[in-house]
Amino acid sequence: MNYFEYKMHEIIDLLEKKEVSAKEVTASIYQRIEDKDPDVQAYLTLNKDKALQKAMEIDEKRAKNEAVGKLAGIPMALKDNMSTMDLLTTCSSEMLYNYLPPYDATVVKKLNDADAVLLGKLNMDEFAMGSSTETSAFKKTRNPFNLDYVPGGSSGGSAAAVAADEAFFTLGSDTGGSIRQPAAYCGVVGMKPTYGAISRYGLIAFASSLDQIGPFTKDVTDCALVMNAITGHDGNDSTSANVEYPDYTKALVNDVKGLRIGIPKEYFGEGVSQGVRDNINDAIKKLEELGAEVGECSMPNTDYAMPAYYIIATAECSSNLSRYDGVRYGLRSEENSLMEMFCKTRNKGFGSEVKSRIMLGTYALSAGYYDAYYLKALKVRNLVKKDFDQAFKQFDLLLTPTAPGTSFKFGEISDPISMYLLDVCTIPVNLAGLPGMSIPYGTSEGMPVGLQLIGKPFDESTLLRVAYTLEKNTDKTILKAGFKGGAE
Amino acid sequence: MNYEVVIGLEVHVELKTNTKIFCSCPNEFGMAPNTNVCPRCLGLPGTLPVLNEKALEYAVLAGLALNCDIAEFSKFDRKNYFYPDLTKAYQISQFDLPVCEHGYLDIETDGKSKRVGVTRIHLEEDAGKLVHEGDTISLSNASLVDYNRAGVPLIEIVSEPDMRSADEARAYLEKLKAYIEYTGVSDVKMEQGSLRCDANVSIRPFGQEEFGTRAEVKNLNSFKAVQKAIEYEVERQIELIEDGGRVVQETRTWDDNQGMTFSLRGKEEANDYRYFPDPDLTPLIISKDYVEALRNTLPELPDVKKERIINDFGLQEYDAGVITSSRGLALFFDKTVELYNEPKKVCNWLMVEFCRLLNTESTEIEDSLVSPENLAQLLRLVEEGAISGKIAKTVFEDMFHTGKDPESIVKEKGLVQISDEGALDSIIDQVIAQNPKSVEDFKSGKKQAIGFLVGQIMKETKGQANPGLVNKMLTEKMS
Ligand SMILES: [Zn+2]
């Protein structure tokens, strides 16, 4: 049986009815990985022995009618920046080519408690810096819709694995769009929850005030189920929010009547391709038909979000990545002096995108520039937040494209500014710490288009409700990867 | 020319919390290298700091003791620099919004009182320790790092440049130590590194308002070192200027053996620490209620205590100063006086006998085997005439070394004073018989001759005879 084709919630049903065993499902996924990953290249590390072991343990528990977790027996995989005990965690960087964490990230613990089965670790842009997964030091992940195209980034491996049915769900991290943009490019559902909703403990930091973990799934129901398993307050993360977390499956309601949806005009500028524009407009029309109240709004500071983001994110990353100095773990360049060891280790260990961001951030924090750059960026960040506050006085949620265009061919975008512009629709959401979700909505020239929903803090439920309603009322949200191209 | 000396001190104090500041490793010392560590204090990728609230509480207590304002809003910042003992390549510290500001301490030198400003107190984490093969990191072939100390909570107490002599600096540091010690938030032991001091020293011609260029002197491991290093540094700077040179702003290290400071230039690079708010920690909102609740738990502080024991017990200013200079001594005094209400006697014993033994054995009063109960008992034995003052000193030494109570020592060693006329009668008769010349002298009017006879009797009784009684009986028998 081709279990890999199923949605996660369908597999959960089959497992609960004991129509299939966790071992069979897991083996089926590994078979799929064996078949497809040579093309897709989503995985960096496989955890096959332990995964099958875990699956068998769950089957035994079920056979004895013992209690099992909510995601029992579901094979899933993680972006390689989440710490997994005794399993390589490299951030797709030479710097951590051999790094085995001695502890599990909080999300890893939570998934383990839910009895999910960890298949392996997924490729990403080096230290999550990039928008195409091309900055990975180890491999290029390809877009399952067309193997000549990038999967987006930085969580490209996580998006591609779900799109290629190489996992029922995956986790990624999103600092400026790193879940939503690859979800859009690969035609899957991606959620970046509110900052603080999912513990960052064990997530290897890029920019601490912006990073947030979230799921990639095949549909909206699966997204809600995974959210239930991974959200929650965590005493190990001081920025984790101590609030009531809802049952997200309660939001799976086929009804948007009376919901007020704002369309911020700044997100539909010149850079947005016609194909994306047409699909998003179609979605807006559909929602209006279904009874939502749609209105235009303005977020005047949107243009400044990008430069502010690149100062804040690089400043934080310059500090976060300082610890990779060759002293304690990871790569070390053996040299004759301490200073040489520091410099050569970092020179060899980091790729050029990471280096340029460290340099930018170091510059922004330097004496004499701090006020002009970092402090000013913080002020802009506040203005961006205020734009959202203002909009949410009028609307229950906002709807935008996830990215201005669809996926592109490898090497097609090489200058950094054009690459940074791919995240123009997603970055403001991180600056404001809000929940943002990308769902597939149609295609343009054969490649998926992503629709972004932005909500009030901790109101992921409304996003899920709108996404679910679209899923139930159109055939544009469930896309099937065709594995085109790839002839070398 | 005459120069005025300007000194400011930066003091690091290790807080005595149960666990480290941002993880749950025990805050303990003396373990094998790199065994008291966890992913968090090792700064492993993905780990995050979680503030130990006790550390904040202790910083606030220290601030209240030093008369500081406690910030309602404070935050942690990252101080970025590369060094192998720093696990994250940044130290979590506080930059522009420390927990405490605007405090002071009153010090006394040569009978003159002076107020020294405390600019700020901020919380931070300690780094690990480097062990070099050679003398310095640049001269050694290999270095080892022990991260056990990484993450130990510290407060840095920065003074205003208010001190004008090495004596004042030392007085400030001693006062600071006493105040912090009283709050109980730290052991404040310089020798063990729980109190560390750097001195900023500069000179300027008298009358000049502008400060001179300062040198920062490090590696001051005792009060004596602080004083000597400052004295040396002042001399060095005066000589330099008199010879037409100028002082450079630099870090210097004190060499205790050579009695000199040396420039650390070359090793120290001009550092831009690129401070910015630590995004992993939320700002500290410190409520007035929280501060007031802590203020109420503050013990009586040295200056107040000193006033009280002068007023209540009539102790001399100097004696009261010594007694209150350490929390242990003051507590011991209080407890003993509670049990034996002769404050002056208690004070004398503490200052003379007890302090002498503590010094010669280099023991802290907290670790001493003598309890206030036992000292009170000893003093009572003297008062009751059970033992003489001289015997009491012997008994006290025994108490100090064995921890036994004085009554058992007196009993075991048969040191009870002989105050029984019957028991002394024959001994006195014997001494009179053996020393006819002294008896003659006495009878012929040389009253001081009795001293020799008393001495002989004391010798016969191994010092246990009650000297008053012996005197009385001798006089009676010889007249
Ligand atoms: Zn620790």
Side-chain angles (χ1 to χ4, degrees), chain A residues 242-300:
Chain A
N242 197 355
V243 297
E244 283 285 326
Y245 291 88
D247 174 355
Y248 295 100
T249 59
K250 295 247 164 71
L252 301 174
V253 180
N254 180 5
D255 175 24
V256 291
K257 270 186 227 68
L259 267 186
R260 299 167 304 165
I261 301 176
I263 312 294
K265 61 176 190 212
E266 287 79 4
Y267 286 71
F268 292 80
E270 285 167 29
V272 179
S273 76
Q274 197 56 46
V276 169
R277 204 180 290 269
D278 291 346
N279 276 297
I280 301 300
N281 284 335
D282 185 79
I284 293 170
K285 217 172 84 203
K286 189 85 206 168
L287 286 165
E288 274 181 316
E289 282 168 26
L290 291 167
E293 294 168 22
V294 179
E296 199 185 72
C297 63
S298 172
M299 315 212 21

Side-chain angles (χ1 to χ4, degrees), chain B residues 20 23-25 37-38 40-41:
Chain B
K20 292 184 180 181
C23 68
S24 48
C25 288
V37 290
C38 70
R40 242 185 256 266
C41 55

Side-chain angles (χ1 to χ4, degrees), chain B residues 106-126:
Chain B
D106 292 325
I107 60 165
E108 249 171 59
T109 44
D110 302 330
K112 269 183 280 174
S113 171
K114 169 169 189 172
R115 180 158 289 186
V116 175
V118 171
T119 315
R120 56 183 278 163
I121 303 177
H122 70 251
L123 264 172
E124 59 187 27
E125 57 180 345
D126 208 346

Side-chain angles (χ1 to χ4, degrees), chain A residues 33-103:
Chain A
I33 292 170
E34 215 171 282
D35 294 344
K36 285 294 172 192
D37 213 48
D39 283 339
V40 177
Q41 302 274 320
Y43 281 88
L44 290 175
T45 306
L46 293 178
N47 185 41
K48 197 167 177 182
D49 291 347
K50 282 187 189 162
L52 289 170
Q53 178 69 33
K54 170 104 182 173
M56 285 189 284
E57 280 167 26
I58 290 156
D59 288 335
E60 268 172 48
K61 277 193 192 173
R62 267 205 224 273
K64 290 188 221 155
N65 285 321
E66 285 175 26
V68 290
K70 290 238 163 88
L71 301 177
I74 297 298
M76 56 83 193
L78 302 169
K79 187 175 182 179
D80 209 25
N81 59 356
M82 289 169 217
S83 301
T84 43
M85 188 155 41
D86 300 330
L87 185 66
L88 276 180
T89 302
T90 67
C91 284
S92 287
S93 178
E94 288 290 352
M95 188 60 95
L96 293 176
Y97 75 104
N98 63 352
Y99 175 61
L100 290 170
Y103 74 104

Side-chain angles (χ1 to χ4, degrees), chain A residues 32 46 101 181 191 232 246 257 269 289 309 317 385 392 412:
Chain A
R32 176 69 172 178
L46 293 178
Q181 185 255 26
M191 168 80 89
K257 270 186 227 68
E289 282 168 26
Y309 169 85
C317 102
K385 270 185 197 161
F392 284 127
E412 195 178 323

Side-chain angles (χ1 to χ4, degrees), chain B residues 133-176:
Chain B
E133 233 175 39
D135 284 343
T136 67
I137 190 160
S138 44
L139 291 176
S140 84
N141 285 324
S143 299
L144 299 168
V145 205
D146 176 6
Y147 292 111
N148 283 352
R149 205 180 64 180
V152 164
L154 297 177
I155 45 173
E156 181 175 339
I157 304 168
V158 182
S159 84
E160 291 289 310
D162 284 348
M163 288 153 278
R164 294 289 173 268
S165 68
D167 283 345
E168 285 186 6
R170 181 172 178 153
Y172 166 80
L173 193 59
E174 282 177 347
K175 197 66 169 279
L176 181 75

